[in-house]
Amino acid sequence: MTRVVVVGAGPAGLAAAAHAVRAGADVTLLDQSAAPGGQFHRLPPGAPHGFEAILSRCSWWPESTVWAVAGKRLHVLRGPADGAGRERHVLEPDALVLATGAHDRTLPFPGWQLPGVYTAGAAQALAKGERVAVGRRVVVAGAGPFLLPVAESLLAVGARVLAVLEANPASTVRKGWSWRDARKAGELARYAAALARHRVPYHLGRAVVEARGDDRVRAVVTARLRADWSVVPGTERTYEADAVCVGHGFAPRPELAVAAGCALDGGFVRVGDDQRTSVPGVFAAGELTGIGGAVAAAAEGAVAGCAAAGGVPGRALLRERDRLRGFAARLAAAHPVGAAWPGWLREDTIVCRCEETTAGELTRAARDPAAPGPHALKLGTRAGLGPCQGRLCGAAVSALCGTAERHHRPIAQPIRLGELAEVKENDA
């Protein structure tokens, strides 16, 4: 029987596990969280998640962190991340499916380091998972349809959403949203009804360009943007707010794939028609291979799980995956990141929050002929050397300095020195 390990129990990983089991494989499903579902299916602690059927047919490893990969060989720590006594395990399956998802992409702006500035994903996670509102008067801003469920989640936990701001103009957004997908049209109508019921204005071509306050966010400045995201002078408006949630799309989490040796295209893992990566026996699915949302991720996971188990994905499965990939491509065209966003920044605007590297330091370093490469620029400015290792600031630093984003991060997950020194490693 083929042994398959799936890393990540979000929509892609769950679908991969289900289809690998269906194809006859012995499946182990890992996730860092205590419950399956990923961010998309996040629920309050103890709430029924609805995935019991698939978990009963495979080995389910919650609270499991993969901290190193070499080919298909995984080094795993099992146990609560903040607890003592985590167990070290080594897994070496016949096939590996990586479904590690994505995290928020957020562009810097003056004041974005203030308490009260949240990523859109963090705000939604607190609302859905903990029933906590990040503020009483909140502005939601950025680019992409994800802003709508974030606003809906905030309204559901009692926050007053002052406005939802999509940075792209209507002419750009219309490129993707042609109402050809009935399911998405219904979802959009539901969000529109929620905003209308709570009298939340939705503005296109407008963005948060500054957060103001001494100890925390007290006000938010917005401005109208041109199609390239340059600010139209004189259009600034100030909201009195105690929180702002910003999201400018998503960035994949390719660390494990890079460690495994998988080739990337534009930061995403390159896959073949059956989700096979450039490394034999390693498959990838979901946001790791392109940002397309939960339904597209599940379709890719289904193909990857079937192929990883040694099966041949059916034509209907491949057609559905391709159809959803097409929708994702239209969505990307509808909600791009405009090239002129650096115009929002000031000399002293912090870009790398871990190391407090400013926009001025980065642009001066980029112009210095003695430090032309991204590696020298990183060492010289310390941008990307902090705890997040450039996960949050990498794309912004690259855009400001005209360099390629570095995806190689030797530390995939933090591990205690005592755990690293532990000699006992259990085969499973």
Side-chain angles (χ1 to χ4, degrees), residues 172-326:
T172 304
V173 173
R174 276 198 297 268
K175 291 178 183 175
W177 292 101
S178 59
W179 304 91
R180 282 180 282 183
D181 189 303
R183 285 176 295 183
K184 291 297 178 184
E187 197 176 328
L188 276 180
R190 194 190 83 213
Y191 295 137
L195 295 188
R197 194 163 55 250
H198 292 273
R199 298 184 178 181
V200 178
Y202 179 82
H203 297 297
L204 290 153
R206 204 165 186 90
V208 169
V209 294
E210 183 181 357
R212 292 177 177 170
D214 294 326
D215 55 340
R216 60 164 299 112
V217 172
R218 304 291 179 185
V220 172
V221 180
T222 71
R224 190 152 62 84
L225 303 182
R226 301 184 182 92
D228 65 354
W229 290 24
S230 57
V231 171
V232 179
T235 61
E236 292 81 2
R237 177 180 174 182
T238 302
Y239 291 86
E240 290 186 8
D242 58 4
V244 55
C245 305
V246 285
H248 302 93
F250 295 92
R253 300 179 62 183
E255 288 83 6
L256 294 181
V258 171
C262 302
L264 304 184
D265 276 333
F268 296 99
V269 179
R270 184 193 304 165
V271 291
D273 196 48
D274 61 356
Q275 302 298 133
R276 196 181 301 267
T277 72
S278 59
V279 177
V282 179
F283 298 74
E287 312 291 51
L288 201 55
T289 68
I291 305 301
V295 180
E300 287 195 356
V303 173
C306 178
V312 178
R315 297 181 66 175
L317 208 57
L318 295 173
R319 275 199 303 269
E320 176 67 358
R321 190 270 317 268
D322 293 344
R323 184 185 70 80
L324 291 163
R325 277 183 174 174

Side-chain angles (χ1 to χ4, degrees), residues 36-191:
Q39 298 301 323
F40 184 78
H41 295 292
R42 180 182 284 270
L43 293 167
H49 48 68
F51 301 112
E52 291 82 2
I54 178 58
L55 298 188
S56 69
R57 300 183 63 194
C58 62
S59 298
W60 165 228
W61 285 26
E63 297 184 314
S64 296
T65 298
V66 180
W67 62 274
V69 178
K72 292 179 292 182
R73 185 178 174 87
L74 305 175
H75 296 267
V76 184
L77 281 168
R78 293 192 71 181
D82 56 355
R86 290 194 292 182
E87 297 176 353
R88 282 180 61 178
H89 294 268
V90 176
L91 298 173
E92 191 156 10
D94 301 309
L96 169 64
V97 180
L98 296 174
T100 48
H103 59 75
D104 292 87
R105 180 182 179 186
T106 304
L107 299 177
F109 52 86
W112 78 311
Q113 75 279 8
L114 286 170
V117 178
Y118 293 84
T119 65
Q124 194 192 40
L126 285 168
K128 290 174 69 174
E130 309 297 332
R131 309 300 294 168
V132 170
V134 295
R136 289 172 298 172
R137 294 169 57 84
V138 187
V139 174
V140 178
F146 182 56
L147 303 178
L148 297 172
V150 171
E152 183 186 52
S153 299
L154 289 167
L155 292 168
V157 292
R160 181 183 172 193
V161 178
L162 303 177
V164 178
L165 311 178
E166 161 64 49
N168 289 290
S171 57
T172 304
V173 173
R174 276 198 297 268
K175 291 178 183 175
W177 292 101
S178 59
W179 304 91
R180 282 180 282 183
D181 189 303
R183 285 176 295 183
K184 291 297 178 184
E187 197 176 328
L188 276 180
R190 194 190 83 213
Y191 295 137

